[in-house]
Amino acid sequence: MSEIPSKMTASVLRGVGDIVLEQREVPSPAPDEVLVKVRSVGVCGSDVHYYQHGRIGDYVVNAPLVLGHEVSGDIVAVGSAVDPARVGQRVAIEPQRPCRVCEFCREGSYNLCPRMEFYATPPIDGAFCEYVLIQDDFAYEVPDTISDHAAALMEPLSVGIAAAQKGGIKVGDTVLIAGGGPIGVIAAQVARAFGAAEVVVADINPARRELAAGYGVRVIDPAAESTEDLGAHVFIDASGATPAILNGIRSVRAGGTVVLVGSADQIPLSVPEIAMREVNVTGTFRYTNTWPIARSLLTTGQVELDSLVTHEYGIEQVEEALTGEGAADSLKRMVLPGVQKVDDPVVRGRAS
């Protein structure tokens, strides 16, 4: 491995619409941590929201913050309690640090840990920088058959896996998904991998419907075709749109499950409709123990992520990546912190 520098470049959010480059100290790993040289970072909707609004709910950017939490890279140094043989491994990062001792952590629901430290969630820095730290067991080795981008996108894949788990998707199920963006397409692939007999993606955007259809699922324009007779076992909302959620609730069969992944603030909920049909309504918040499943789905070819990548940017272009300037048709925009600037950000592939 090459020598680790003392300084690194970081893209820092100082306030709404205010991104600057800074030179920062390369951090040193604690005994249970590894230092990862970042290869690829996906741009998430939460990153865009922090850039545009400076907050998400109770999480407020009131100090400089490095965004980015969909991460892959190489382990270049380890703490004193970590096997030094890990140096040189390519890894996908689960970007969170639970306390491991609270009630939720002890029962396995560490995603609900009240003391969780999560990348790019104030005040915890993320990965739009050259080096990051993570606890050893949250850096998952990936084989060479998984690309740097796909390894980074194991994070949104974990969102899809968590949604499928909460929905209890099983062999033979019919699954309806609202939203044909990256999360919707990923959730559709996961649903099929979990054994769903029919997977339907509903989106009012024809380009998103065309994208989803390319992954072998049935697509519906909800403005022109009803899904209420679908009798879905599971409905997953990946749109955050109130009409889509209400339509999805009406589209599940009695005893079915509604999983809310999208970020709608409030919806008018018909209690009799839920109670009298015994519809289960639940949400997802991040994930637990999903990276091994994600790695397996990728290595076996049951899920494919590289074709979702439409644009690449260097560390000097993070603001362009967040605004989507010149990338109105983008799906997944990726930042390469080891590269200063990408002259042509457009990536050729299925999604582009």
Side-chain angles (χ1 to χ4, degrees):
M1 300 297 291
S2 59
E3 184 177 351
I4 301 170
S6 61
K7 297 282 188 178
M8 68 174 180
T9 302
S11 179
V12 183
L13 177 68
R14 296 191 301 188
V16 174
D18 183 12
I19 292 277
V20 297
L21 288 179
E22 291 183 1
Q23 290 297 303
R24 293 189 169 187
E25 298 286 336
V26 173
S28 297
D32 64 345
E33 292 179 329
V34 296
L35 178 68
V36 176
K37 184 175 183 180
V38 180
R39 283 178 177 254
S40 178
V41 190
V43 175
C44 176
S46 64
D47 298 317
V48 176
H49 202 86
Y50 279 125
Y51 173 78
Q52 293 178 338
H53 305 286
R55 68 182 302 155
I56 296 178
D58 294 334
Y59 297 106
V60 181
V61 179
N62 50 27
L65 180 72
V66 177
L67 297 172
H69 62 266
E70 303 174 0
V71 198
S72 69
D74 301 307
I75 295 177
V76 294
V78 300
S80 59
V82 179
D83 184 354
R86 295 216 66 188
V87 173
Q89 288 182 0
R90 294 178 61 243
V91 295
I93 289 177
E94 181 173 351
Q96 51 187 352
R97 185 186 185 109
C99 76
R100 301 179 186 253
V101 297
C102 72
E103 175 185 359
F104 295 103
C105 286
R106 291 199 307 270
E107 67 184 19
S109 301
Y110 63 82
N111 60 312
L112 302 177
C113 174
R115 294 189 289 277
M116 176 67 76
E117 297 178 357
F118 194 91
Y119 274 22
T121 300
I124 307 302
D125 282 331
F128 288 154
C129 55
E130 294 181 275
Y131 296 87
V132 295
L133 294 174
I134 195 70
Q135 285 180 295
D136 171 50
D137 60 336
F138 276 21
Y140 293 86
E141 186 176 9
V142 295
D144 290 339
T145 53
I146 297 177
S147 72
D148 294 336
H149 289 338
L153 295 179
M154 285 168 68
E155 196 279 340
L157 174 53
S158 287
V159 174
I161 293 167
Q165 291 172 328
K166 288 299 288 286
I169 295 174
K170 60 187 184 300
V171 174
D173 278 356
T174 295
V175 178
L176 171 64
I177 298 169
I183 292 296
V185 167
I186 289 171
Q189 293 188 71
V190 172
R192 190 170 54 193
F194 273 45
E198 183 175 23
V199 181
V200 180
V201 174
D203 200 302
I204 60 174
N205 185 323
R208 293 295 171 94
R209 292 198 301 275
E210 182 179 359
L211 167 73
Y215 290 85
V217 301
R218 177 183 166 197
V219 297
I220 284 179
D221 177 359
E225 184 178 353
S226 173
T227 60
E228 292 186 22
D229 294 331
L230 192 62
H233 296 84
V234 180
F235 165 64
I236 297 174
D237 177 64
S239 71
T242 296
I245 296 171
L246 297 178
N247 179 71
I249 291 173
R250 292 190 295 267
S251 298
V252 295
R253 65 182 61 197
T257 300
V258 171
V259 183
L260 303 179
V261 180
S263 56
D265 290 331
Q266 294 182 350
I267 61 171
L269 193 63
S270 170
V271 174
E273 185 174 17
I274 299 298
M276 296 176 69
R277 294 197 300 126
E278 293 194 357
V279 174
N280 304 290
V281 180
T282 185
T284 58
F285 186 58
R286 298 170 183 159
Y287 27 67
T288 59
N289 302 310
T290 51
W291 259 253
I293 301 171
R295 181 171 54 197
S296 177
L297 291 176
L298 288 171
T299 56
T300 57
Q302 295 178 83
V303 169
E304 194 278 316
L305 299 177
D306 286 299
S307 60
L308 291 173
V309 176
T310 54
H311 295 75
E312 294 176 335
Y313 301 88
I315 191 68
E316 296 179 357
Q317 300 167 296
V318 167
E319 188 164 18
E320 184 180 343
L322 290 168
T323 59
E325 183 178 343
D329 59 344
S330 67
L331 283 169
K332 287 306 296 186
R333 304 192 288 271
M334 311 298 292
V335 172
L336 312 175
V339 176
Q340 289 185 314
K341 186 176 182 179
V342 177
D343 291 333
D344 181 7
V346 178
V347 175
R348 310 297 175 186
R350 180 197 301 186
S352 59

